[in-house]
Amino acid sequence: MLAEPTGEYNLSELFGGDIGLGDVRAHADALPFMADRRLVIVHGLLGRLAGASKPAARRGKSARTRATATPVRDNDALEALLDYLPLIPPSTALVLVEDALDPAIVAGRLPPERAHIHAYDRPRPGDLGRWIERRAKHHGGKLEAAAVRQLAQLAPDDLGLLDGEICKLVTYADGRAVTPDDVELLSVTPEVTIFGLLDA
């Protein structure tokens, strides 16, 4: 789907801290652009409405920038979202990404012929280096040990961001091992702001 020439126009990524059902429907009900299907990824909305998790941080923000308020269950909004799931157009693939949500809360309400639940454990802090090495191998490259340690400190709470950085570094290295200098050159920590870059 995303490998097609129009793939980027058929991908929407939403974050549950500041969206509602109307936002999801606006993206999920849209027709694909010159393609058969579109992909909508929603982070943290189910968990927030169920009172089971904090709102998801936007890509590139560290855990320190996430909201710290105690999550509160919103039954009406949760029911409305669950009622909508069977109505999603067949041309839309909706992916709900949750950090801390018991699948039993929603499993009975998902359309069995269309919905699938997959659980993926986050690597423990001590295993993050090995995860980085595996992702580098997946992208067709390798990293020096010092580069692995640098990346492990970059965004340990955002595996999507981290994987994107690994892919970028492997592509840049073009067959050689990624070095700490490569990480220093190409990877920006989440705490770096546009103001810091301008001051530099």
Side-chain angles (χ1 to χ4, degrees), residues 82-169:
L82 293 175
D83 287 342
Y84 167 68
L85 295 182
L87 307 178
I88 296 171
S91 58
T92 295
L94 176 65
V95 178
L96 301 171
V97 181
E98 298 295 333
D99 245 357
L101 178 67
D102 182 357
I105 294 177
V106 297
R109 301 289 300 278
L110 300 177
E113 70 282 359
R114 296 186 60 189
H116 308 277
I117 296 177
H118 298 281
Y120 301 95
D121 293 330
R122 285 181 175 272
R124 298 174 181 174
D127 297 329
L128 186 57
R130 286 187 289 274
W131 181 89
I132 291 172
E133 291 173 342
R134 289 196 300 271
R135 294 307 299 169
K137 184 177 180 180
H138 171 80
H139 291 301
K142 57 184 178 180
L143 294 87
E144 293 183 0
V148 171
R149 290 193 293 271
Q150 277 183 281
L151 280 173
Q153 298 173 5
L154 177 65
D157 297 318
D158 193 335
L159 298 182
L161 173 65
L162 200 52
D163 190 53
E165 292 298 313
I166 294 168
C167 181
K168 177 175 65 178
L169 288 162

Side-chain angles (χ1 to χ4, degrees), residues 17-28:
D18 53 8
I19 64 168
L21 176 58
D23 302 290
V24 175
R25 295 197 65 156
H27 290 270

Side-chain angles (χ1 to χ4, degrees), residues 41 44 49 171:
I41 304 173
L49 298 181
T171 302

Side-chain angles (χ1 to χ4, degrees), residues 40-64:
V40 179
I41 304 173
V42 181
H43 297 263
L45 179 59
L46 263 180
R48 176 171 66 83
L49 298 181
S53 66
K54 296 177 182 178
R58 289 186 177 275
R59 179 63 49 82
K61 289 188 178 181
S62 68
R64 289 189 293 274

